[in-house]
Amino acid sequence: MATIRRALISVSDKTGIIDFARELVQLGVEIISTGGTHRTLAGAGLPVTGISDVTGFPEILDGRVKTLHPKIHGGLLAVRGLASHLKQMEENGISPIDLVVVNLYPFAQTISKPGVSVEEAIENIDIGGPSMVRSAAKNHQYVTVVVDPADYGLVLEELRESGRTTAETRRKLAAKAFGHTAHYDALIAGYFNQLTGVSFPEQLTIPLTKQQALRYGENPHQQAAFYREPLPGAGTLASSTQLHGKELSYNNINDANAALALLREFTEPTVVAVKHMNPCGVGVGKTLSEAWQKAYEADPVSIFGGIIAVNRPVDRDTAEKMKEIFLEIILAPSFTEEALTILKTKKNLRLLALGEEVPAEGASLKLQSVSGGVLVQEEDIRAVRKEECRVVTERAPSEEEWEQLLFAWKVVKHVKSNAIVLAKDFRTTGVGAGQMNRVGAAVIAANQAKEDAKGSVLASDAFFPMKDTVEAAAKAGVTAIIQPGGSIRDEESIAEANKHGIAMVFTSVRHFKH
């Protein structure tokens, strides 16, 4: 039997708790409560018994100890049909508790506050709450546990019908409760790992919360959902606001994230266009409108149906140009009212506002599922400055070439390997992505660039194993190359570059992206 006669309520999130408790009282349920929740319910005129009146022991240590008592946990953990348990309860004056309504101290909100001290964070680590939740969830055959205000309605509906909850509901709520405490402990573990400088602990737990269910994954036969970190920073997809358009799909989110990652490389007005996780056009200009024109001209075919990310508010002029072609998503810090009016005429175009700024992203962990496990590494946020590069050819790049080389290097970092990027006048002219050999990527980039390849610079995400990529670059009219170097045949590539008067610099940094 799981008839509910007695409930223990202790919540940090008090959303809906007064109405819920009031209906419990009307259904004949006795309520026990603690601290702030007790004051809230009593203040609403509800009959409520204090925890100390049940335990016969005062709350002590500034509230650190109040529910950790046999009269609480005995009431939660007793097996109702076991004679020995019932006898011990009677001998010790323990009454059963049939319903536990608990959510935990706001640890995530606490550590998100600027300048929060370690001491304050520690004081917001809940001990009694998780203990009650776990006890109730373990004994869910007899006890109903609720950790989410969204489930109040379900519990009340079943109580109105029969005075008890169903076994199926109790098991589902128990699963949710264990997830709640696991998420909470994972958050605390992450905080302490951060305090101690441990990036790769022996046991890695990552607390994520479902932001939205998705219609499907990469393909219609795959189920999918989007989960967010507990404290997603400003300017991230998880913290963005959708202003218009259809719901985001799995592929939309992946592509949008790729566009946003590349966008963070730039501080000047920049437009990034992405298709299938690869940039198909990147432009930097004095204005956003100019940057858009460059990104569009980089590949007017592939940008069709693309994802666009920009690092300035979208204005009327830029919106007018964007409206002329089919796009899936536009991500921007914000949109002017004129721009919104223009772009909202495109019924399905998704408009995402990231906030007033698109901040540089700090180092975080990148996870990749593999069969039976997960690969974990730091995000590739390594930047390269001019003074870190080494000129290896007889001719050094001109100042203009240097600027274009560093621009191309920022882009190639975000192109699937093997990757080659051609660039000129702060826009990509050709992109060769995801090829099985590097010279193939170079040929694709040059073919895409056509006449624009002449006078372009070339960036490669990894070293040249042979001189053939330099030969292809020379044939296309490339004037300067930036690459990591480090091949045992570097001298052949250097000699080939010298033969054609191409300037080449080594970064000593590789940017594989698989």
Side-chain angles (χ1 to χ4, degrees):
M1 296 290 288
T3 302
I4 293 179
R5 299 187 180 91
R6 200 160 177 249
L8 193 158
I9 303 178
S10 180
V11 292
S12 290
D13 179 0
K14 295 178 174 55
T15 303
I17 196 61
I18 292 175
D19 291 339
F20 181 56
R22 180 175 287 115
E23 187 146 0
L24 288 177
V25 170
Q26 291 171 354
L27 290 167
V29 178
E30 177 193 352
I31 296 179
I32 307 165
S33 193
T34 67
T37 306
H38 181 280
R39 289 190 294 273
T40 296
L41 299 180
L46 297 173
V48 56
T49 302
I51 202 76
S52 296
D53 295 326
V54 175
T55 63
F57 202 90
E59 295 185 17
I60 62 172
L61 307 181
D62 298 319
R64 282 188 169 199
V65 178
K66 48 195 174 189
T67 59
L68 298 171
H69 195 280
K71 287 197 174 182
I72 301 302
H73 287 274
L76 293 173
L77 286 165
V79 177
R80 307 296 201 263
L82 192 59
S84 60
H85 282 203
L86 296 176
K87 180 182 178 183
Q88 290 173 55
M89 290 176 73
E90 183 178 358
E91 289 173 347
N92 291 282
I94 298 172
S95 298
I97 298 172
D98 311 304
L99 171 64
V100 170
V101 184
V102 170
N103 49 62
L104 310 177
Y105 291 172
F107 186 77
Q109 295 92 317
T110 299
I111 61 175
S112 69
K113 294 188 298 186
V116 65
S117 66
V118 174
E119 291 73 21
E120 185 180 356
I122 288 173
E123 283 307 309
N124 277 275
I125 296 175
D126 203 330
I127 301 300
S131 299
M132 290 188 292
V133 168
R134 288 174 60 80
S135 291
K138 175 176 179 174
N139 205 28
H140 68 271
Q141 183 178 353
Y142 307 102
V143 181
T144 304
V145 57
V146 181
V147 296
D148 184 353
D151 293 318
Y152 293 166
L154 170 64
V155 171
L156 289 174
E157 182 181 345
E158 294 191 0
L159 291 185
R160 291 188 203 105
E161 290 179 2
S162 62
R164 62 175 64 92
T165 53
T166 65
E168 180 183 10
T169 292
R170 290 194 301 279
R171 181 154 289 180
K172 286 181 178 178
L173 292 175
K176 195 169 187 176
F178 282 124
H180 186 59
T181 56
H183 182 277
Y184 193 75
D185 285 338
L187 187 63
I188 295 167
Y191 175 74
F192 276 88
N193 284 332
Q194 188 177 42
L195 284 182
T196 54
V198 177
S199 297
F200 299 95
E202 291 301 313
Q203 293 178 311
L204 179 63
T205 51
I206 300 175
L208 302 172
T209 301
K210 186 159 76 171
Q211 179 136 321
Q212 67 185 94
L214 302 173
R215 286 180 297 161
Y216 53 81
E218 271 186 299
N219 299 291
H221 61 275
Q222 295 171 271
Q223 295 184 5
F226 178 32
Y227 287 78
R228 62 172 170 80
E229 296 174 351
L231 304 170
T236 63
L237 282 174
S239 63
S240 66
T241 302
Q242 185 166 349
L243 305 177
H244 181 67
K246 296 190 298 185
E247 284 188 6
L248 294 170
S249 71
Y250 180 96
N251 292 329
N252 289 156
I253 293 170
N254 252 339
D255 285 341
N257 190 60
L260 192 53
L262 175 49
L263 186 68
R264 288 193 179 102
E265 300 281 349
F266 298 95
T267 56
E268 313 92 327
T270 303
V271 172
V272 172
V274 164
K275 282 287 285 290
H276 302 294
M277 299 285 285
N278 279 305
C280 59
V282 181
V284 171
K286 294 179 181 177
T287 66
L288 192 66
S289 180
E290 181 185 340
W292 162 263
Q293 195 62 34
K294 288 183 177 182
Y296 172 77
E297 291 173 356
D299 188 346
V301 174
S302 298
I303 200 172
F304 185 85
I307 278 72
I308 307 299
V310 307
N311 60 358
R312 294 291 190 278
V314 177
D315 54 25
R316 180 181 58 80
D317 290 345
T318 309
E320 289 282 9
K321 293 179 179 179
M322 291 175 164
K323 180 189 171 186
E324 294 305 310
I325 64 170
F326 168 62
L327 299 172
E328 289 278 4
I329 301 174
I330 301 173
L331 303 96
S334 61
F335 299 79
T336 67
E337 288 301 321
E338 289 178 308
L340 277 177
T341 299
I342 293 165
L343 294 171
K344 282 184 175 181
T345 60
K346 311 280 280 190
K347 180 181 177 182
N348 294 324
L349 174 61
R350 302 161 178 90
L351 304 177
L352 297 182
L354 297 163
E356 288 308 308
E357 295 183 3
V358 179
E361 189 170 38
S364 59
L365 296 182
K366 181 177 178 61
L367 282 65
Q368 175 66 51
S369 297
V370 296
S371 179
V374 175
L375 286 170
V376 182
Q377 67 170 346
E378 293 179 340
E379 288 278 6
D380 182 4
I381 60 171
R382 178 74 156 83
V384 168
R385 300 187 303 274
K386 176 182 175 180
E387 54 269 27
E388 296 177 288
C389 299
R390 179 166 60 98
V391 177
V392 294
T393 47
E394 295 168 358
R395 185 176 78 79
S398 67
E399 283 304 310
E400 170 63 19
E401 286 173 328
W402 268 116
E403 291 181 341
Q404 302 307 315
L405 286 169
L406 295 174
F407 167 82
W409 183 251
K410 290 177 180 179
V411 177
V412 80
K413 172 182 173 182
H414 297 270
V415 178
K416 297 287 187 181
S417 303
N418 287 321
I420 295 291
V421 168
L422 301 186
K424 180 168 59 177
D425 190 28
F426 297 105
R427 75 171 175 91
T428 53
T429 55
V431 178
Q435 297 307 300
M436 287 65 74
N437 61 75
R438 194 155 300 280
V439 68
V443 170
I444 289 171
N447 288 341
Q448 184 191 80
K450 299 183 175 67
E451 290 302 310
D452 277 338
K454 294 179 181 178
S456 289
V457 303
L458 180 150
S460 173
D461 64 329
F463 64 61
F464 300 151
M466 300 178 186
K467 66 178 182 178
D468 50 6
T469 302
V470 180
E471 291 174 333
K475 183 178 179 181
V478 166
T479 66
I481 293 172
I482 187 168
Q483 58 129 322
S487 168
I488 59 173
R489 303 175 73 168
D490 274 345
E491 290 304 320
E492 293 180 19
S493 294
I494 294 169
E496 189 67 23
N498 285 330
K499 174 182 173 181
H500 298 283
I502 296 173
M504 186 158 66
V505 301
F506 285 0
T507 64
S508 300
V509 175
R510 189 182 72 187
H511 285 307
F512 269 159
K513 188 176 181 64
H514 292 102

